[in-house]
Structures are given as C-alpha cells and as structure tokens.
C-alpha cells in the first residue's frame, strides 16, 4: 500500500505533512513516487489567500482520476482550507473520502480506517483536543536529511484583521520543552545538522506555559550535542524582545538570518491591520538586530493593497524596503478572507492599480536582493551541503540562508564546508570548495 501527499502553504503544513507521512509509515504504508500509484492521497491545504484555495480545488480535480484505475483509493483533504470549509469542499468534490482539520491530525489512523470501511470520514474539531500531544509519538518523514523543521508552538493568538490563520489553526499552544528537546535529540542521532524551529508565532513560545521563554528554548536547543545550526520562523515583531536578539547573537549555532514580517510601512495601515507596532517600533527592532548581529540577513512579508491603503501609504512600505534592505521579500496582493474583519472594509484602489504597485515593489526588491548577493563575491562562506546533482554539483545553504551551488570532492553531503563564492546570481551563489 502506498501514499502520496500534496502540500500547499507554509512551513507548518510542510511539517504536518511530514508527521502524516510518519503516521502512514507507522501504519505500514510506503511513499509513492507519483500520485497515480497511490492508495491514499492526502491534500494538505492552505487558505491564506484566495489563490491557494483555488489550487486545492484544481488539484482535487486531477486526483479524482485515481478512482478510475483504483476504485478503492482514498482521497483525503486536511489542513487550513479543510478546517475553514471542510463541509463545503465535500459538497464541491463529493468523491472525497476523508476530511479533517488542523488540530486532529493524530486521529488520522482512525479516520483512515473509517474511510477504508467505505464511510465518509469527516472530523473537523471546533475545540482543540488536548490529546493533540499524541502526535509526538510519531516520527517525521523528511525529504531533507540534514535540516529539519521542529514545531514548537501551534496556533496564533494575534488578531491581524486580514488573517484567516487564527481561525484555521486555533489558539496558541506551546509544546512542552521536554518533548521538543527529545525530538531534536532523535533528529540529531538521525544525522540532522540544522534545526529549524517553527510556529505561526514562534517568538510567543512559552507564554501559555508560563515557566519558559523563547530565548531559553534557544539555549536549551543549542546545548544538544550535534546541533550545528538553529533557525526559527516566523517571529512576530511585537514579541521579538531584546533578550531574544541577544541570545541570537550569543549562541554560536543560531544563524544570522531572520524573517520578520512587517506587512505594511504606513502606521495607519498597520493600525487597521492590528499588527500592534508602528513603523518606528518595527525599525527599532531592525536596528537592534543589526547592532547585535551585524551581518544578519533579513527577510519579510508584505501585503499590498490592504483596504484603505492609498499611494502615500504604499510609499511608506517602499521607504521601509529601501531603508532595511532585506535580502528577500515575499509580497502579495491583499486577498479578502471570509469572516475576517478586513473582509468588509472598502478598498481604496482598483485591482489593476494594486497589481502595478505590487509589480513595481517586486522589481525594486529584485535589485536590492541582487545588491545584497553581490556582497558575497570572492568571500568564503560556510555551507551546509544538502544535495548533490547528477553531474556532481553540490547544493547547500549559507548561514544567511543563501542557496549555493559548487563543485568539490566526494562525500560532502551533510558536511559543513567553506566555499569560495565566484559568481553571484539573482537568486543563488556559485563557488568552489575552499
Ligand atoms: N504569522 C506570520 C504570518 C503567517 S501568514 C506573521 O504574523 O507574520 C503568511 C503571510 O501571508 C503573512 O505574513 C501575510 O503577508 C500573508 N497574508 C496573510 N493573510 C493575507 C491576506 N488576507 N491577503 C494577502 N496576504 C496575506
Ligand atoms: Fe496571521 Fe497575524 Fe497570526 Fe501572523 S500574527 S498568523 S498574520 S493573525
Ligand atoms: Fe496557509 Fe494555514 Fe499556513 S492558511 S499559510 S497553511 S497556517
């Protein structure tokens, strides 16, 4: 019996899919190379904007064909769109056998059994089930052998007015530190070198537990022998305190890279979004980061065209991008999400104007990204080697999360090596083993 998982969305979904693969392996299933040979297909969905919603429906249209060649095949839909609109999807795509939400992934064995018996297995929990920690008993099945996501906190207590995530992921629940450290110990023993702590809002880690703070978690992870690199995503600017920034600078394994979403540069828009900071406060955090970690690579998320955003507001975002000089920016046009407060707010501009603003912003950032990459020319950087192509070329990442292609000697996979950068591209660096 084989399974196939198609994952949409963010790092949380990627890690959830790795867990589901672990559950299915525990149940005796093997990973299929392709969906056409699968007995179980899972679609792990995202609902953060309208586009991902549509992608899910077209993927389902494709997977439906499996039933012709394998009438017993089971198609399941899970993740954020399932949590938000599982019953609607079931109506639109009645051939689906299984629908479950984001907080009951650990019930997959039971749901699969129901579906195999020919029943529609539907379970979308409104309340978070405290049995969620049962997920910890399953391993993760990862594509990348040397770097691993570790979920440290689930859910989000913020109420950004555009965002569906608090609805789809529920309130903040930190995992117990002992469980996290045990998982990391296991990963390191399995050959993992880089630990990527993840959550919708990692910097809020421990608030609900009361006895441990995020920066203490960083120190505890660094104490595990074999952890060579630590990253974390996503930090909310409001919860990023000086203690955390100091710990980042102090702990050798914490990489000089941070994704710190600003969303918009205008104070009026930030307030309408309920982000809980002003442009000045955000820039102060950036200043602190650059002070303690001078060579830090920063990235951010931007929403263009939040309701009420005028050209003057948009120019404030551009101003911030020019001032901070991010290494990478993920920018999207605002997309109204059902049931969120912003969904009812009027737009100030036409969709065409907003598309132009978004395009201009992306083009401007391309030049900044290239300029940041140029600083690597002729430099020697530390690379964790993650992959080898057929022609022998290695692919890895710097501590600042830059993709590096290089040639070297045999057996470098999983090693941390020095690479001299000889060529700089827009999205990657090329070099030779130093
Ligand atoms: N917890 C993270 C973000 C999670 S959602 C944070 O607070 O930064 C990932 C990104 O999707 C967000 O940073 C935002 O830029 C984008 N996003 C969320 N809702 C959106 C919407 N309604 N329209 C457009 N982009 C949105
Ligand atoms: Fe959404 Fe805001 Fe929570 Fe991020 S912090 S997940 S943008 S509500
Ligand atoms: Fe999408 Fe859910 Fe992540 S909406 S961005 S998959 S938390």
């Amino acid at each position: 019996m084989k399974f196939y998982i198609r994952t949409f969305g963010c790092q949380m979904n990627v890690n959830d899919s790795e867990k589901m693969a672990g559950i299915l392996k525990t149940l005796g299933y093997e990973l299929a190379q392709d969906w056409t040979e699968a007995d179980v297909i899972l679609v792990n969905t995202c609902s953060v904007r309208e586009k991902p919603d549509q992608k899910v429906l077209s993927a389902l249209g494709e997977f439906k064909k499996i039933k012709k060649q394998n009438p017993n095949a089971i198609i399941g839909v899970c993740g954020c769109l399932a949590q938000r609109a599982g019953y609607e999807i079931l109506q639109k795509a009645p051939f689906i056998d299984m629908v479950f939400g984001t907080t009951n992934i650990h019930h997959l064995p039971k749901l699969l059994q129901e579906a195999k018996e020919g029943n529609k297995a539907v379970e979308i929990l409104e309340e978070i089930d405290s049995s969620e920690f049962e997920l910890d008993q399953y391993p993760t099945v990862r594509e990348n052998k040397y770097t691993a996501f570790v979920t440290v906190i689930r859910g989000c207590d913020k109420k950004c007015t555009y965002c569906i995530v608090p609805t789809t992921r529920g309130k903040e629940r930190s995992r117990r530190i002992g469980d996290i450290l045990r998982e990391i110990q296991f990963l390191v023993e399995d050959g993992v070198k880089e630990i990527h702590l993840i959550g919708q809002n990692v910097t809020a880690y421990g608030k609900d537990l009361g006895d441990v703070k995020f920066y203490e978690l960083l120190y505890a992870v660094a104490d595990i022998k074999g952890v060579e690199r630590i990253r974390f995503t996503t930090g909310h600017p409001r919860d990023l305190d000086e203690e955390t920034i100091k710990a980042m600078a102090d702990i050798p394994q914490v990489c000089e890279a941070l994704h710190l979403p600003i969303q918009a540069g205008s104070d009026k828009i930030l307030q309408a979004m309920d982000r809980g900071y002003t442009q000045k406060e955000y820039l102060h955090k950036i200043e602190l980061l650059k002070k303690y970690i001078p060579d830090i690579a920063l990235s951010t998320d931007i929403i263009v065209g939040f309701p009420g955003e005028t050209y003057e507001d948009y120019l404030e975002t551009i101003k911030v991008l020019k001032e901070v000089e991010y290494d990478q920016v993920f920018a999207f046009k605002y997309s109204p999400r059902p049931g969120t407060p912003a969904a009812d707010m009027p737009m100030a501009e036409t969709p065409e104007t907003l598309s132009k603003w978004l395009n201009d912003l992306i083009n401007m950032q391309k030049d900044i990204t290239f300029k940041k990459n140029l600083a690597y020319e002729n430099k020697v950087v530390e690379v964790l080697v993650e992959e080898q192509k057929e022609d022998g070329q290695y692919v890895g990442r710097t501590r600042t999360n830059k993709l590096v292609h290089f040639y070297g000697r045999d057996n470098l996979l999983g090693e941390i090596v020095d690479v001299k950068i000889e060529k700089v591209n827009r999205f990657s660096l090329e070099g030779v083993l130093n």
Side-chain angles (χ1 to χ4, degrees):
M1 298 289 262
K2 290 184 173 171
F3 70 93
Y4 178 88
I5 306 180
R6 172 79 54 92
T7 308
F8 296 95
C10 66
Q11 72 276 3
M12 302 309 289
N13 262 17
V14 172
N15 195 218
D16 285 349
S17 289
E18 292 171 339
K19 267 283 167 199
M20 292 192 290
I23 295 176
L24 290 166
K25 278 227 160 167
T26 309
L27 294 176
Y29 286 81
E30 284 304 315
L31 185 66
Q33 291 304 316
D34 188 23
W35 66 266
T36 51
E37 58 175 50
D39 302 284
V40 175
I41 297 179
L42 291 178
V43 187
N44 195 2
T45 63
C46 172
S47 195
V48 79
R49 286 172 292 271
E50 203 182 335
K51 262 224 184 93
D53 276 7
Q54 292 162 351
K55 279 193 199 159
V56 169
L57 294 173
S58 70
L60 284 172
E62 185 187 355
F63 296 148
K64 185 184 172 185
K65 296 182 201 138
I66 192 87
K67 300 253 177 180
K68 282 213 183 95
Q69 63 189 72
N70 181 0
N72 292 327
I74 287 166
I75 302 180
V77 182
C78 55
C80 289
L81 178 61
Q83 182 73 37
R84 176 177 84 70
Y87 295 99
E88 246 172 75
I89 308 172
L90 204 54
Q91 273 183 341
K92 281 189 191 152
F95 54 88
I96 294 170
D97 307 286
M98 211 164 46
V99 182
F100 55 102
T102 54
T103 62
N104 50 337
I105 295 169
H106 56 295
H107 291 163
L108 177 56
K110 184 188 83 184
L111 294 163
L112 192 56
Q113 189 52 37
E114 275 175 43
K116 276 166 92 175
E117 286 163 9
N119 302 311
K120 287 255 182 259
V122 183
E123 190 182 90
I124 300 161
L125 301 178
E126 298 280 328
E127 293 288 316
I128 290 155
D129 190 331
S130 60
S131 65
E132 199 178 28
F133 65 84
E134 284 171 17
L135 254 192
D136 283 333
Q137 76 194 46
Y138 296 103
T140 50
V141 174
R142 293 162 293 108
E143 263 180 38
N144 191 318
K145 281 170 79 171
Y146 310 109
T147 158
F149 284 139
V150 175
T151 297
V152 300
I153 180 168
R154 299 190 168 91
C156 180
D157 282 356
K158 300 269 188 288
K159 293 186 175 63
C160 303
T161 53
Y162 52 81
C163 188
I164 197 75
V165 173
T167 313
T168 63
R169 292 273 165 179
K171 64 176 181 355
E172 279 168 9
R173 295 97 72 201
S174 299
R175 272 178 75 195
R176 292 175 296 203
I177 192 161
D179 291 342
I180 296 171
L181 299 178
R182 227 182 334 272
E183 179 174 348
I184 295 173
Q185 180 69 49
F186 177 81
L187 289 167
V188 168
E189 282 164 18
D190 199 33
V192 168
K193 303 281 170 74
E194 179 178 289
I195 297 295
H196 197 151
L197 308 174
I198 60 167
Q200 278 311 329
N201 186 9
V202 272
T203 32
Y205 177 78
K207 280 191 176 169
D208 54 326
L209 300 175
D211 55 351
V212 49
K213 292 201 167 131
F214 180 63
Y215 81 91
E216 293 171 320
L217 174 67
L218 286 179
Y219 276 104
V221 174
D223 273 346
I224 298 177
K225 202 165 166 283
V227 173
E228 310 244 7
R229 284 180 170 187
I230 303 170
R231 302 183 190 282
F232 58 89
T233 310
T234 304
H236 190 287
R238 195 159 73 182
D239 298 324
L240 180 74
D241 50 23
E242 195 161 348
E243 271 171 333
T244 302
I245 298 176
K246 278 186 183 160
M248 288 173 70
D250 184 46
I251 302 171
Q253 296 109 309
V254 176
C255 292
E256 297 76 28
L258 187 67
H259 183 65
L260 198 64
I262 183 168
Q263 313 297 2
S266 142
D267 285 346
K268 180 189 97 188
I269 298 300
L270 285 171
Q271 199 180 3
M273 289 175 162
D274 203 5
R275 286 292 288 178
Y277 52 81
T278 60
Q279 182 195 109
K280 198 167 158 218
E281 284 162 349
Y282 178 91
L283 289 176
H284 178 62
K285 303 245 161 141
I286 295 285
E287 203 181 302
L288 280 179
L289 283 162
K290 286 182 175 173
K291 180 177 122 194
Y292 284 106
I293 313 156
D295 40 4
I296 192 164
L298 296 163
S299 57
T300 201
D301 289 345
I302 299 286
I303 297 176
V304 170
F306 183 83
E309 186 171 85
T310 62
Y311 190 60
E312 282 66 40
D313 296 318
Y314 164 77
L315 288 180
E316 288 296 312
T317 303
I318 297 289
K319 189 188 112 194
V320 172
L321 296 200
K322 284 190 173 149
E323 186 170 331
V324 176
E325 295 200 311
Y326 294 100
D327 286 73
Q328 225 182 340
V329 170
F330 302 90
F332 292 94
K333 203 153 72 163
Y334 167 73
S335 168
R337 300 285 67 209
T340 58
D344 300 324
M345 299 179 191
M347 303 290 282
E349 292 292 342
T350 62
E352 293 71 32
T353 304
L354 298 181
S355 296
K356 186 184 174 320
W357 292 0
L358 176 65
N359 246 335
D360 292 350
L361 183 149
I362 290 172
N363 282 330
M364 185 198 80
Q365 179 58 38
K366 267 189 194 155
D367 293 341
I368 298 178
T369 298
F370 189 49
K371 182 180 148 196
K372 297 293 276 191
N373 284 354
L374 276 178
Y376 285 77
E377 211 165 35
N378 298 321
K379 289 244 168 77
V380 174
V381 289
E382 188 200 286
V383 174
L384 169 60
V385 189
E386 295 175 22
E387 198 191 321
Q388 188 169 27
K389 303 252 162 144
E390 270 178 21
D391 71 349
Q393 193 187 40
Y394 288 107
V395 187
R397 284 185 184 271
T398 65
R399 289 173 61 97
T400 49
N401 217 7
K402 304 267 178 198
L403 204 59
V404 179
H405 297 262
F406 71 100
Y407 289 94
R409 52 186 160 74
D410 288 346
N411 301 324
L412 289 183
L413 277 177
E415 300 289 315
I416 292 179
V417 296
D418 284 340
V419 174
K420 177 138 193 250
I421 301 305
E422 295 185 327
K423 187 162 177 256
V424 172
N425 307 313
R426 268 190 197 282
F427 300 109
S428 68
L429 309 172
E430 289 175 42
V432 288
L433 190 67
N434 199 40

